[in-house]
Amino acid sequence: MNVRLPAWRVPGWLLVFWWLGRGLFRLAVLAARYWWITAPAGLALWVRVEFGGLVLAGVVAAVAAGCVVWWRWHPLSWLRFGWYPLVARVRALVVYRPRWASVMATCGLATVFGGDRYVPRLLRVRCDRYGDELTVRMLPGQIPDDWGQAAERLAYAFRLPTGQARSTDRPDRVVVRLMRRDPLAGIVAPLPVGDVPELDGLPLGVQEDGQAYRLRLTGSHVLIAGVPAEHRGIVCAAAGAGLRWGECAGLPWEAVDLDRGLLYVAQVAVETHGGIVLRAYPKSRAGVRAVPMPPFLVDELRQRRGAASPDGRALVFADRDGGPQRRSNFRRRIWLPSLVRAGLLGRVTEGAPGRWLAVWPDRDGREQRAEFPTQAAAVAHAAASAVGGLRFHDLRHSYITWLVTDGVPVNVVQRVVGHEKASTTLDRYTHTPEDYADRVRLTFADNSLTFRPSPRPTDPEDTPSPGRERSPQRDDPRRGETGVVEGSAPGGSSRTTQRPRGVQPLRVCLFRGCEGSSYGQVCLSGPVTSSGADSTHCENLLAECDRDHTERSWWCQPAGPRGGLTPGTRRR
């Protein structure tokens, strides 16, 4: 039985036309794929045929001159849209594509099935100053970790020092980063920061792959950095000195002592129907005060003043005409756009090249979005359309909360911020911090409610006799606190309590930094403060204050870093 398939005879002219058509199709595909070569070559050929070689040379010279002008006028855009894309296409054509299949086979990333070889496809090559990024479509069954393990072999196969691989948002693709040179081989110069920095990603340094290390900032640092340079001082004054808006707007240079780091509040600006009036007295009698300035506020005011000495009556934060600023104008032009740039009232991000996305909350709390051609237009629209946001006076609330939370006595905070009553400072201006639970636990972290024996070898009466042992005892609530306290109790009766010998109640000095002192007391009749002093310094201050106020009342503080004050009186 004949089982041979029938043979078809094809004419030779038909095979010639088949091969010719297939070749033309491949040429068309290559011309479309490498249009950046074929299009200039075709244009140059047409100019050469139509106008001659001289005109072609003039066109080439004009294009080269335009590229040079573009590079000198805006180097970043020239490198991003002109030079690096051209280098990437040339390297893809000359370096990667000719050896791609063989490198995939030697690195174990290609496979053979059914007699056919399957090779991952190189989709795109991007270049920058330090290396190349290859976007590859992986074979079925491959994961980015396979490419991460083969990244070093890929780098050596293409004669490059090192390589890395990372995944993308698409599960079938991987990006291989091949470094041409090390960006950290030399000293990295400080990165430039404009007057209005990009706070969504503030560049701080350079990573190992040559990309800029960007940090998103939040909180007060973001707010201060998001304010334009010429208005940054008034925000620092509110956040670092707790000044009201009228006190900031009416502050003269003669009230600023940069050498001593003090602000003297005496003149305020008040907005009336007839305009803005400067008054020589603040809101209340307690408002006349001296406020210590933190170092960042001193540096900002020193930079604002410059080398020249301004007129003492001139305003520190004046408008363009030299007068006090109007609050409504500052809020609309400076404050709200600064909140948007800081990410505290919506946000503005760069989407596609030349397009900026603005996001802001409406009255119902929903997010609204819109695209704009420039960042300034996006920020202005978000600031004008957003509802809510931080108030300028909230900086004063934050300042008082920071002081109280950090352990500054309430009477000191009251005097610094200019309140008539301490209840106003505590009830209206202080807010509960987010880490209040950790602060409460930290208060009792050193077992401050227990009594510890403190040996006194210098006192012979406290030395126990042989065969007799004394054990520490807890206080009996019926007997009052441990120790001997003579005077009037809160109920009007006097009491005398005995302390077990050899046991001393643990006391801590109220002066900041004197955690190791054994006994401390604070005079309430005058401002006696010490920041960061040692125990000897505190004892000297206490002794001096004791001599000056021997007939006054004292308060003692029990053990604990932030323990409450125990009322009691003692006459000397």
Side-chain angles (χ1 to χ4, degrees):
M1 183 177 179
N2 187 8
V3 294
R4 295 178 59 185
L5 295 176
W8 296 86
R9 294 182 179 274
V10 179
W13 59 270
L14 185 59
L15 289 178
V16 172
F17 276 106
W18 168 255
W19 291 334
L20 183 59
R22 188 173 63 174
L24 290 177
F25 177 76
R26 289 185 176 181
L27 287 177
V29 171
L30 291 176
R33 177 180 295 179
Y34 300 104
W35 60 268
W36 50 278
I37 296 179
T38 57
L43 180 62
L45 181 60
W46 177 76
V47 172
R48 174 68 176 82
V49 173
E50 292 292 334
F51 302 100
L54 187 60
V55 175
L56 178 61
V59 171
V60 172
V63 172
C67 292
V68 172
V69 171
W70 185 9
W71 170 60
R72 298 293 296 177
W73 175 64
H74 202 282
L76 295 180
S77 63
W78 156 252
L79 292 176
R80 180 177 179 181
F81 300 105
W83 179 250
Y84 287 148
L86 179 61
V87 173
R89 295 180 183 277
V90 172
R91 288 186 62 83
L93 179 63
V94 176
V95 177
Y96 296 110
R97 292 194 184 277
R99 294 184 291 171
W100 183 254
S102 60
V103 170
M104 293 296 103
T106 56
C107 293
L109 297 174
T111 185
V112 177
F113 178 77
D116 297 328
R117 185 177 62 174
Y118 296 90
V119 180
R121 184 179 178 184
L122 179 61
L123 299 178
R124 184 176 59 184
V125 177
R126 299 181 62 182
C127 293
D128 55 24
R129 182 179 179 182
Y130 300 102
D132 305 330
E133 283 191 356
L134 283 62
T135 303
V136 183
R137 178 178 294 167
M138 298 182 293
L139 296 178
Q142 291 183 344
I143 59 176
D145 187 56
D146 299 335
W147 289 80
Q149 296 177 3
E152 292 295 332
R153 293 194 297 272
L154 289 174
Y156 278 92
F158 289 111
R159 304 295 189 269
L160 296 175
T162 182
Q164 299 175 350
R166 70 174 187 271
S167 60
T168 62
D169 54 350
R170 297 188 57 174
D172 62 333
R173 297 187 180 183
V174 66
V175 175
V176 181
R177 174 82 177 178
L178 301 178
M179 304 299 299
R180 295 194 303 270
R181 59 176 179 172
D182 187 4
L184 302 180
I187 299 177
V188 180
L191 300 180
V193 178
D195 292 338
V196 183
E198 299 179 6
L199 300 177
D200 287 339
L202 186 65
L204 299 180
V206 178
Q207 303 182 76
E208 293 182 356
D209 58 355
Q211 303 296 325
Y213 173 74
R214 297 180 178 273
L215 177 66
R216 176 177 174 82
L217 303 179
T218 57
S220 58
H221 298 87
V222 169
L223 176 59
I224 294 177
V227 179
E230 58 179 329
H231 299 282
R232 196 168 296 165
I234 192 170
V235 178
C236 292
L243 301 186
R244 303 178 179 93
W245 167 259
E247 296 170 349
C248 292
L251 182 67
W253 279 110
E254 61 184 2
V256 179
D257 190 348
L258 297 179
D259 296 333
R260 300 178 58 188
L262 292 175
L263 281 177
Y264 299 95
V265 180
Q267 178 178 274
V268 296
V270 180
E271 296 186 13
T272 61
H273 295 288
I276 305 177
V277 180
L278 294 178
R279 294 181 178 176
Y281 51 88
K283 182 178 179 180
S284 61
R285 181 178 301 178
V288 180
R289 64 194 187 277
V291 182
M293 294 185 294
F296 73 89
L297 179 56
V298 175
D299 296 338
E300 184 67 30
L301 294 181
R302 196 182 302 276
Q303 182 179 2
R304 185 179 185 86
R305 185 185 64 179
S309 297
D311 186 8
R313 293 174 296 179
L315 298 179
V316 178
F317 309 113
D319 58 6
R320 297 178 180 179
D321 299 331
Q325 299 187 52
R326 186 174 293 274
R327 187 170 188 169
S328 58
N329 294 340
F330 179 84
R331 173 181 172 80
R332 184 179 68 257
R333 300 173 183 175
I334 307 300
W335 181 251
L336 292 179
S338 300
L339 294 180
V340 174
R341 284 191 292 267
L344 302 177
L345 183 62
R347 62 185 183 275
V348 173
T349 57
E350 184 178 7
R355 304 296 297 177
W356 295 83
L357 177 64
V359 181
W360 67 92
D362 59 6
R363 190 173 302 277
D364 298 331
R366 295 190 297 265
E367 287 190 350
Q368 304 294 332
R369 299 169 179 265
E371 287 190 355
F372 298 89
T374 62
Q375 183 183 16
V379 171
H381 185 83
S385 305
V387 178
L390 191 71
R391 304 174 305 167
F392 185 85
H393 193 71
D394 291 336
L395 298 178
R396 177 176 170 88
H397 285 247
S398 301
Y399 174 79
I400 298 175
T401 302
W402 290 335
L403 294 183
V404 174
T405 305
D406 200 41
V408 180
V410 179
N411 59 335
V412 177
V413 179
Q414 172 194 355
R415 180 174 180 179
V416 169
V417 300
H419 286 159
E420 290 284 350
K421 300 179 180 180
S423 59
T424 305
T425 306
L426 291 176
D427 298 340
R428 184 176 300 178
Y429 282 87
T430 57
H431 305 275
T432 304
E434 295 181 356
D435 59 343
Y436 72 94
D438 295 335
R439 293 177 180 270
V440 172
R441 298 188 187 99
L442 184 62
T443 304
F444 302 97
D446 58 348
N447 299 323
S448 57
L449 295 183
T450 61
F451 293 94
R452 306 172 184 173
S454 57
R456 301 173 59 187
T458 57
D459 191 354
E461 296 182 359
D462 291 339
T463 305
S465 60
R468 183 180 178 184
E469 182 178 359
R470 296 176 181 148
S471 60
Q473 303 177 5
R474 286 189 174 271
D475 296 337
D476 188 349
R478 297 169 297 178
R479 297 169 52 195
E481 66 178 27
T482 304
V484 179
V485 181
E486 297 179 356
S488 58
S493 61
S494 62
R495 64 181 181 180
T496 302
T497 59
Q498 297 294 331
R499 173 171 52 239
R501 307 186 65 83
V503 177
Q504 295 291 337
L506 182 62
R507 302 282 184 173
V508 293
C509 181
L510 285 180
F511 293 106
R512 297 185 61 187
C514 301
E515 302 293 341
S517 59
S518 60
Y519 184 78
Q521 47 193 352
V522 171
C523 176
L524 300 181
S525 60
V528 181
T529 60
S530 175
S531 177
D534 55 6
S535 59
T536 304
H537 182 59
C538 287
E539 292 176 359
N540 295 336
L541 289 176
L542 292 172
E544 181 180 355
C545 189
D546 186 30
R547 290 193 300 269
D548 296 339
H549 307 280
T550 55
E551 297 297 330
R552 302 194 180 188
S553 299
W554 296 79
W555 288 52
C556 297
Q557 181 185 16
R562 302 284 173 86
L565 295 177
T566 302
T569 57
R570 179 173 62 180
R571 296 291 183 181
R572 294 183 182 269

